[in-house]
Amino acid sequence: MTSRKSSPWLSWTTLAPVIAVVALLLTWGRTLGTLPVVVVAVVLAAAVLAAVHHAEVVAHRVGEPFGSLVLAVAVTVIEVALIITLMISGGPKTGSLARDTVFAAVMITCNGILGLSLLVGAWRNPVTVFNAEGSGSALGTVAALATLCLVLPSFTSARPGPEFSPTQLGFAAIASLILYGMFVLTQTVRHRDFFLPVDAEGAVLEDDEHVAPPTTKAALTSLGLLLVALVAVVGLAKVESPAIESAVAALGFPQSFVGVVIALLVLLPETIAAANAARRGRVQVSLNLALGSAMASIGLTIPAIAMASIWLSGPLELGLDPTQIVLLVITVVVGVLTVVPGRATRLQGGVHLVLLAAFVFLAALP
């Protein structure tokens, strides 16, 4: 008796995004009890895992560094839509939401994803090797974007408080788009080899030849399901936010900590994808995801918020406070010392994870 091959349309990676969207439609704008909150959390976790699977399918089809770019940009675009939606519905009290979300994303990617990737990669090889030219240029672009958009507003005098004037905001938005566009051109066209995985001798690693790339149809299907899954992840994270807010209030943490929790949920697909790449010895792919996501979080969010500010009421606070500036500076300094040699050990991964822990701790207990 011959066994019949199951249809790919009935696989859990296909069904999970669809079920997550249905759950989002059924729960959006409603007050949920304990049981529905738990069910939504399970569906959210399944959608995250499905997003990682489809991102890896697309990455295998298009190759690096395009695969990392697809996931980073997709997550950031949906994150931007969520920020703008919350700012429109929340009114003036959400004036610092964009700053808090972008800064949380930068700290999570540059310390959490990067540190975890180095730590996982070091379990495979005592010393992880990556391309210093590509990682260094990415970190430099992140540092420039973060300083321009998140640090300078705290020192300008055109507006009271940590705000840009409309002209200054317009300049920051244009400069962000230019920097991000230049980096994408460098990553995908001019110096693509700087962002490809390398071996211990620094030679570029080719894709695994024994694994056939997916067909164009399969890749396009995964791309569509990836976007569906990411929409569901961001939406369900918003649905879960009242429960998260209640838990945060019960713990005595400030309400701004809710943004950190939601940012952790939204960036979970990239975190898992980066850890999987590091486990396979492709640490450069992990760094592409980490630094590319940080760059997209600033380079796409700030221009979008600048455009939306025309219709938004209330202040737009982008400037970081002194504690956040210190954390950003130490992150950049440690990041430079990590990526410039092109080699790292478990120590560097541990240092970055401790910096992430410090950020989370100080966000909870400022």
Side-chain angles (χ1 to χ4, degrees):
M1 188 176 190
T2 58
S3 61
R4 199 179 252 182
K5 188 177 180 180
S6 61
S7 170
W9 292 104
L10 297 180
S11 66
W12 75 269
T13 55
T14 301
L15 295 176
V18 177
I19 293 173
V21 169
V22 172
L24 178 61
L25 294 175
L26 293 176
T27 58
W28 185 262
R30 302 192 181 195
T31 303
L32 304 181
T34 303
L35 181 59
V37 165
V38 173
V39 172
V40 168
V42 172
V43 174
L44 174 60
V48 167
L49 295 176
V52 173
H53 167 79
H54 293 299
E56 291 178 342
V57 171
V58 173
H60 190 197
R61 175 61 185 178
V62 302
E64 285 299 321
F66 298 99
S68 302
L69 187 63
V70 168
L71 181 57
V73 173
V75 169
T76 304
V77 168
I78 297 172
E79 183 181 355
V80 167
L82 177 61
I83 292 173
I84 293 176
T85 300
L86 292 174
M87 291 187 71
I88 291 175
S89 61
K93 66 180 182 180
T94 59
S96 64
L97 178 64
R99 177 199 66 192
D100 295 337
T101 305
V102 170
F103 182 64
V106 170
M107 297 302 291
I108 292 168
T109 52
C110 291
N111 286 320
I113 298 180
L114 189 148
L116 178 63
S117 300
L118 295 179
L119 203 60
V120 171
W123 286 112
R124 178 186 174 98
N125 297 303
V127 177
T128 57
V129 181
F130 46 86
N131 198 316
E133 289 90 349
S135 301
S137 61
L139 181 61
T141 308
V142 171
L145 284 168
T147 302
L148 178 64
C149 298
L150 300 178
V151 176
L152 286 182
S154 297
F155 296 93
T156 57
S157 57
R159 286 285 183 91
E163 298 179 48
F164 272 145
S165 68
T167 304
Q168 292 170 337
L169 182 60
F171 172 80
I174 294 172
S176 298
L177 287 175
I178 291 174
L179 283 174
Y180 185 71
M182 290 177 63
F183 176 80
V184 170
L185 181 65
T186 301
Q187 184 184 33
T188 58
V189 180
R190 297 290 184 182
H191 300 285
R192 181 172 175 265
D193 54 313
F194 286 177
F195 301 90
L196 297 177
V198 295
D199 59 18
E201 287 72 37
V204 174
L205 291 173
E206 301 294 335
D207 291 334
D208 296 332
E209 295 182 358
H210 62 279
V211 180
T215 63
T216 301
K217 179 180 178 182
L220 290 175
T221 301
S222 284
L223 179 60
L225 289 171
L226 169 63
L227 295 177
V228 171
L230 291 174
V231 170
V233 167
V234 175
L236 292 177
K238 173 63 174 67
V239 169
E240 291 281 280
S241 62
I244 297 172
E245 289 175 359
S246 300
V248 167
L251 292 171
F253 296 164
Q255 283 301 304
S256 59
F257 189 76
V258 175
V260 177
V261 177
I262 293 179
L264 287 168
L265 289 173
V266 170
L267 290 170
L268 192 54
E270 289 170 300
T271 304
I272 298 175
N276 287 340
R279 182 174 49 83
R280 295 194 299 269
R282 300 301 198 258
V283 175
Q284 183 62 51
V285 176
S286 304
L287 298 186
N288 291 345
L289 275 170
L291 299 174
S293 299
M295 197 182 310
S297 292
I298 307 173
L300 297 179
T301 300
I302 299 304
I305 296 300
M307 288 292 296
S309 64
I310 299 174
W311 300 280
L312 295 173
S313 60
L316 180 60
E317 300 177 1
L318 292 178
L320 300 175
D321 62 36
T323 301
Q324 293 171 324
I325 292 175
V326 170
L327 286 172
L328 178 62
V329 170
I330 191 66
T331 295
V332 172
V333 171
V334 171
V336 169
L337 296 176
T338 297
V339 303
V340 165
R343 302 163 65 87
T345 65
R346 298 175 189 174
L347 174 61
Q348 284 91 340
V351 170
H352 282 283
L353 290 176
V354 168
L355 287 177
L356 175 67
F359 161 68
V360 175
F361 177 79
L362 293 173
L365 300 171

